């Protein structure tokens, strides 16, 4: 059975990382761009995790943070978490974390033990608001990583900037036409216009194109 690829908001949400080694550091690095509130709990914490914490503090963001606690994890640490990463070097501790999270409806990822996971980390392709995740149901992370490299080259330059532009004008397009078919065509043409210029388009330029494409589409439909 496959895993459905939900995309969930984790900005400002509590995430617990049990373990402080390099594997935990890699998981943290993937999570940080999405601004969760992470607490790392382990008797020993790798220098790379301290580095990530320092980088977050320098950014002075209003959302997203890393807190470090050098001790063994306890049950009370898991309460209220949105998700938990079990990355300790003790299989029994990882199994206990997984069992607790499953019993309390908390999403859990146990490193290198897919049977104890309720979610997996995908290989990510990101450009601004564009995010694509590639998963192999935890069966072969190497394949997911290889496919990420292969598919990254197919992502158009400027897709992130184009999404921001289209998002800013979405309301105007929705007001312009009540026909979902017409709106879909307008967005498709606006995207092509943006990508031809690698996302280097101003809002005013794109706004002019909205009315041009609307007239063009309506004319073509009336003529057909």
């Amino acid at each position: 059975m496959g895993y459905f690829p939900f995309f969930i908001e984790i900005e400002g949400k509590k995430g617990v990382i049990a373990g402080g080694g390099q594997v935990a550091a890699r998981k943290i690095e993937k999570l940080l761009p999405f601004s969760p509130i992470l607490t790392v709990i382990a008797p020993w914490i790798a220098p790379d995790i301290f580095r990530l914490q320092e980088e977050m503090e320098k950014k002075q963001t209003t959302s997203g943070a890393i807190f470090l606690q050098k001790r063994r994890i306890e049950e009370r640490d898991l309460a209220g978490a949105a998700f938990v990463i079990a990355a300790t070097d003790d299989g029994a501790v990882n199994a206990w974390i997984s069992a607790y999270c499953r019993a309390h409806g908390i999403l859990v990822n146990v490193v290198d033990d897919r049977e104890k996971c309720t979610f997996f980390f995908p290989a990510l392709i990101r450009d601004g608001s564009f995010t694509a995740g590639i998963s192999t149901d935890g069966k072969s992370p190497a394949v997911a990583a290889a496919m990420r490299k292969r598919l990254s080259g197919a992502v158009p330059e400027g897709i992130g900037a184009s999404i921001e532009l289209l998002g800013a004008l979405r309301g105007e397009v929705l007001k312009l036409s009540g026909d979902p078919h017409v709106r879909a065509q307008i967005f498709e043409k606006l995207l092509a216009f943006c990508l031809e210029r690698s996302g280097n388009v101003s809002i005013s330029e794109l706004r002019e194109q909205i009315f041009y494409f609307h007239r063009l589409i309506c004319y073509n439909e009336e003529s057909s």
Side-chain angles (χ1 to χ4, degrees):
M1 183 186 298
Y3 282 69
F4 189 84
F6 279 111
F7 282 78
I8 64 171
E9 182 186 9
I10 61 171
E11 181 177 351
K13 301 291 176 63
K14 176 184 176 180
V16 176
I17 315 295
Q22 290 304 125
V23 173
R26 289 196 293 272
K27 301 292 187 184
I28 293 166
E29 199 159 18
K30 280 191 173 184
L31 290 166
L32 285 180
F34 300 92
S35 301
I37 307 296
L38 300 178
T39 301
V40 181
I41 304 171
W44 179 84
I45 296 175
D48 279 349
I49 296 178
F50 282 99
R51 174 183 57 80
L52 290 168
Q53 185 190 44
E54 289 174 4
E55 289 175 0
M56 283 294 293
E57 289 175 349
K58 287 178 183 176
K59 288 179 182 177
Q60 296 181 336
T61 57
T62 55
S63 60
I66 308 176
F67 300 101
L68 309 181
Q69 298 186 22
K70 295 183 72 173
R71 58 175 176 80
R72 294 186 179 280
I73 192 161
E74 301 174 13
E75 185 176 298
R76 61 186 172 88
D77 298 317
L78 305 177
F83 61 92
V84 174
I85 313 298
T88 78
D89 56 5
D90 188 325
V93 172
N94 288 345
W96 163 72
I97 291 171
S98 174
Y100 178 93
C101 290
R102 286 171 178 269
H104 292 81
I106 300 169
L107 294 171
V108 62
N109 176 271
V110 181
V111 173
D112 293 332
D113 195 339
R114 66 182 300 273
E115 299 302 324
K116 292 183 174 64
C117 298
T118 57
F119 79 95
F120 300 120
F121 272 73
L124 294 177
I125 303 172
R126 293 197 71 228
D127 181 354
S129 295
F130 175 82
T131 302
I134 302 159
S135 173
T136 57
D137 290 351
K139 295 172 184 175
S140 181
V143 170
M147 291 305 298
R148 178 184 61 78
K149 289 180 181 178
R150 182 173 295 189
L151 295 173
S152 290
V155 177
E157 184 180 353
I159 185 68
S162 299
I163 290 170
E164 293 300 323
L165 288 164
L166 294 181
L169 295 176
R170 179 176 174 78
E172 295 182 35
V173 175
L174 296 179
K175 287 180 181 178
L176 188 62
S177 174
D179 187 334
H181 178 66
V182 171
R183 294 199 302 253
Q185 289 186 76
I186 293 173
F187 281 122
E188 184 177 334
K189 290 183 180 296
L190 289 173
L191 175 61
F193 182 83
C194 288
L195 293 180
E196 284 174 5
R197 293 153 182 79
S198 300
N200 296 314
V201 182
S202 69
I203 286 286
S204 57
E205 273 185 289
L206 205 57
R207 185 172 282 117
E208 290 177 5
Q209 295 302 314
I210 290 174
F211 296 102
Y212 168 72
F213 290 139
H214 181 247
R215 289 195 299 270
L216 180 65
I217 291 163
C218 291
Y219 174 78
N220 288 339
E221 292 203 345
E222 288 172 2
S223 301
S224 61

